[in-house]
Amino acid sequence: MPPATHRVVLALLAAAALSLTACGASGGGSGDDAATTLGEKEGSVSILARPGYVEDGSNQPAVDWVSPFEKDTGCTVTSTIYDTSDQAFNLMKSGEYDVIAASGDASVRLIDAGILAPTNTDLIPNYAGIYDYLKMQPWNSLDGVAYGVPHGYGANLLMYNADVVSPAPTSWDVVFDKGDAYSGKVTAYDSPIYIADAALYLMTHRAVLGIQNPYALDTDQLAAAVTLLTEQRGNIGEYWSDYRKAIQSFESGDAVVGTTWQVIANGLADGFATEVTVPSEGVTGWSDTWMIASGAKNPNCAYAWLNYIASPEANGQATGFFGQAPSSQAACEFRSAGSCGAYHAGDADYASTIWFWVTPVADCLDGRSDVRCTDYADWTAAWQQITR
């Protein structure tokens, strides 16, 4: 598991949270600016999330965990979909959203920018049932203070068309050093955070670089990752951020090998000879967190949503639909048979092998103090250089 890091910028809970009393709170991972009481629900809540996280039956009538929440709480849900963490960060800056489901490559930036409020988990009864290894991590806490409620997690896996890619790959070299064999049909995730996948590969194959954490790269280490990704660029047929388009690329044959999520593999039509594997170098991944905006207009409904979506039934439905591990063992009762085992739910040792997304910062996440590490702005500039 990537080591925890200390960040010095504290996000403040906005005084505009009218019906929440902000003062010192004890226990539950609460900070001095976290709410201590809940007031009357405002009647609505605005949510920003990835596709498949806030389903109300309008896409598939049988897929609906929003309507029960609205009926039980009186809080009407409006939701907006984002595809990348950069989009999510920019949308949250607008102040129009009460709640976001954020990955680690956005959550740290949001906390440091003061856009998110500390979370008093004492006000969220279902928090107690969440796996301990998902709580108080570098991507959802700061200085011992909780920022949000873990939702679900998954790995960035390697998928390949077994009819085309042979022999079956066991290494990420099939998309890097040996990617020429499938030139034009390699696919990769379209985000600066994908640089970490190249860094993870270099940890094994260019040990002389001394990379210890794929999110903690000094200037020379970042340059090496950029070189590898620039070489890969010639073999990329398509970068993807919308998992639905990734499904289409594999079904059409435009892509035969590359980075995937389990939901992509699950979404392929029957008859496609695709396989998913964990390469020998390991994997990056995501652990998403439901978080409340510091300037939330509807903080009471926001807290109600965080508690509801952490309930075993709602969490089981939502994470099962998207294709990821749930946040609690109790949620497995509301998943299809065998699915929790397939995603290694509850397996802390397995989760510790995933390098979950964390925003790169100048204070090196690997503990080095004698060098400045590159931050997310550096990674963004590098990604623009790679993909231009």
Side-chain angles (χ1 to χ4, degrees):
M1 180 73 68
T5 181
H6 175 79
R7 300 185 304 279
V8 297
V9 183
L10 287 175
L12 300 178
L13 177 64
L18 297 177
S19 52
L20 290 172
T21 303
C23 62
S26 61
S30 303
D32 289 344
D33 298 297
T36 58
T37 60
L38 294 176
E40 184 177 353
K41 296 180 182 67
E42 301 86 358
S44 64
V45 62
S46 179
I47 299 174
L48 183 63
R50 291 189 182 276
Y53 273 38
V54 187
E55 291 293 320
D56 62 1
S58 58
N59 292 319
Q60 299 182 36
V63 180
D64 180 5
W65 51 86
V66 170
S67 296
F69 168 77
E70 293 178 324
K71 180 179 179 180
D72 290 346
T73 65
C75 300
T76 300
V77 172
T78 58
S79 63
T80 299
I81 289 173
Y82 71 85
D83 290 322
T84 70
S85 289
D86 288 343
Q87 291 174 357
F89 180 77
N90 289 325
L91 285 168
M92 282 299 290
K93 288 192 297 185
S94 71
E96 295 300 314
Y97 302 96
D98 301 307
V99 173
I100 180 175
S103 299
D105 55 332
S107 59
V108 174
R109 286 183 284 161
L110 291 166
I111 293 170
D112 287 350
I115 296 172
L116 297 178
T119 305
N120 185 348
T121 57
D122 288 340
L123 301 178
I124 303 173
N126 285 316
Y127 187 81
I130 291 174
Y131 295 129
D132 287 340
Y133 60 83
L134 298 180
K135 299 176 180 178
M136 306 303 292
Q137 294 296 333
W139 54 86
N140 60 25
S141 68
L142 174 63
D143 292 340
V145 176
Y147 279 77
V149 174
H151 174 67
Y153 61 97
N156 296 314
L157 303 164
L158 174 64
M159 186 162 75
Y160 61 97
N161 185 326
D163 287 339
V164 179
V165 180
S166 181
T170 60
S171 166
W172 286 110
D173 63 5
V174 72
V175 300
F176 288 124
D177 291 334
K178 298 180 181 179
D180 288 349
Y182 306 103
S183 182
K185 294 185 180 295
V186 177
T187 186
Y189 188 61
D190 188 7
S191 170
I193 206 65
Y194 182 66
I195 291 172
D197 290 63
L200 181 63
Y201 181 75
L202 292 172
M203 285 172 65
T204 298
H205 297 273
R206 311 281 197 282
V208 68
L209 291 168
I211 299 173
Q212 300 298 316
N213 180 321
Y215 305 103
L217 306 180
D218 61 34
T219 302
D220 291 340
Q221 292 166 341
L222 177 62
V226 169
T227 296
L228 181 63
L229 289 166
T230 301
E231 293 170 350
Q232 182 197 51
R233 177 71 182 91
N235 297 322
I236 294 290
E238 182 180 32
Y239 292 103
W240 63 271
S241 57
D242 184 336
Y243 77 87
R244 296 163 297 189
K245 292 182 180 178
I247 292 172
Q248 294 171 1
S249 293
F250 269 89
E251 289 182 341
S252 68
D254 290 339
V256 299
V257 65
T259 307
T260 194
W261 296 340
Q262 190 64 49
V263 67
I264 295 171
N266 294 350
L268 289 168
D270 292 339
F272 285 91
T274 52
E275 300 288 343
V276 173
T277 188
V278 175
S280 59
E281 300 87 357
V283 292
T284 61
W286 76 95
S287 178
D288 285 355
T289 307
W290 291 102
M291 300 170 137
I292 299 176
S294 56
K297 299 179 179 66
N298 304 289
N300 296 293
C301 280
Y303 262 87
W305 174 262
L306 262 63
N307 186 55
Y308 170 77
I309 200 65
S311 67
E313 184 170 2
N315 185 258
Q317 287 180 281
T319 57
F321 178 73
F322 187 84
Q324 58 187 311
S327 64
S328 70
Q329 197 62 37
C332 292
E333 297 179 17
F334 300 93
R335 299 271 298 243
S336 60
S339 73
C340 274
Y343 291 100
H344 302 273
D347 188 341
D349 290 338
Y350 176 80
S352 72
T353 67
I354 301 173
W355 288 91
F356 288 115
W357 287 343
V358 181
T359 305
V361 293
D363 293 332
C364 297
L365 301 178
D366 58 7
R368 285 180 291 172
S369 59
D370 59 341
V371 65
R372 176 194 179 277
C373 276
T374 53
D375 60 18
Y376 194 78
D378 297 320
W379 286 38
T380 299
W383 188 246
Q384 291 171 346
Q385 174 188 336
I386 293 162
T387 57
R388 65 186 177 190

